[in-house]
Amino acid sequence: MKYKKPYQLALEQRTVILRAQGVSTLLSAQDLALDYQKLVVPMLDEKWGLLLDIRQWQPSPQPVFEVLRQIVSWSYEHNLRQVDLIQPNDPLLLWQYLKSTDVTRPDDVIRNIHDDETVARLSLQAAGYLA
C-alpha cells in the first residue's frame, strides 16, 4: 500500500494552501516541513499568506507539535504575514492547532479564523495574496 501524506500543499499566487488530513506523525510532520519549505522558496523575498484548512485533521501525538512550531517560526522569519485558518468543528482540534503554533508572532502578522474556505480566500484576496 502506498504511503499517503496526511497533508496537501499547493501554491496559488503568493499564498500557500495547506490542507491537513488525518493523524500527523513525527515522520509526516518532518516531511511536511521539507515539502513546505521547498514550496515557499520562490516567495522568500516578499510577503506571503497561508490558507490553512484543518477541518480533516485528527488528534496527533505531542512530539508533532514541536516540528509544527519550528515550521511556524521559520515562516514568520521568511515573510509569512497572514494566516487564514479554516477551523474544524471539534474544539480539541482547534486547541491542538493553537498549541502547535504557539510561538512568538511578529506584530504585523494577521491571523484570521474562519468557518469556510470562501471567506478565508476573500480575506487573502483583500490582502493582495490571492487574485
Side-chain angles (χ1 to χ4, degrees):
M1 186 164 140
K2 187 175 183 211
Y3 168 69
K4 184 176 186 296
K5 295 179 180 180
Y7 59 87
Q8 293 178 338
L9 275 172
L11 184 60
E12 291 183 32
Q13 289 92 41
R14 292 187 359 238
T15 300
V16 172
I17 312 294
L18 172 56
R19 298 179 195 287
Q21 304 161 326
V23 175
S24 297
T25 64
L26 185 56
L27 179 61
S28 69
Q30 291 166 338
D31 286 348
L32 170 62
L34 292 173
D35 291 345
Y36 179 90
Q37 288 173 333
K38 283 183 206 171
L39 186 70
V40 171
V41 164
M43 298 186 300
L44 293 182
D45 293 335
E46 57 187 324
K47 295 177 182 178
W48 52 280
L50 172 65
L51 189 153
L52 178 58
D53 183 347
I54 63 170
R55 291 175 291 181
Q56 302 301 315
W57 200 24
Q58 297 298 313
S60 300
Q62 193 276 332
V64 168
F65 294 12
E66 184 53 35
V67 175
L68 298 178
R69 283 191 286 270
Q70 290 170 6
I71 294 170
V72 172
S73 292
W74 181 89
S75 297
Y76 291 157
E77 291 167 12
H78 291 90
N79 290 322
L80 173 62
R81 289 299 173 259
Q82 182 163 327
V83 177
D84 282 84
L85 172 74
I86 305 170
Q87 70 177 337
N89 289 329
D90 185 341
L92 173 65
L93 297 177
L94 184 57
W95 173 87
Q96 178 174 272
Y97 162 77
L98 294 172
K99 293 303 275 184
S100 64
T101 60
D102 187 18
V103 300
T104 301
R105 185 173 48 188
D107 292 339
D108 63 339
V109 171
I110 297 167
R111 180 168 67 185
N112 301 305
I113 299 176
H114 308 283
D115 291 322
D116 70 65
E117 186 168 342
T118 301
V119 176
R121 284 181 169 275
L122 288 172
S123 174
L124 288 157
Q125 284 175 357
Y129 298 113
L130 280 176

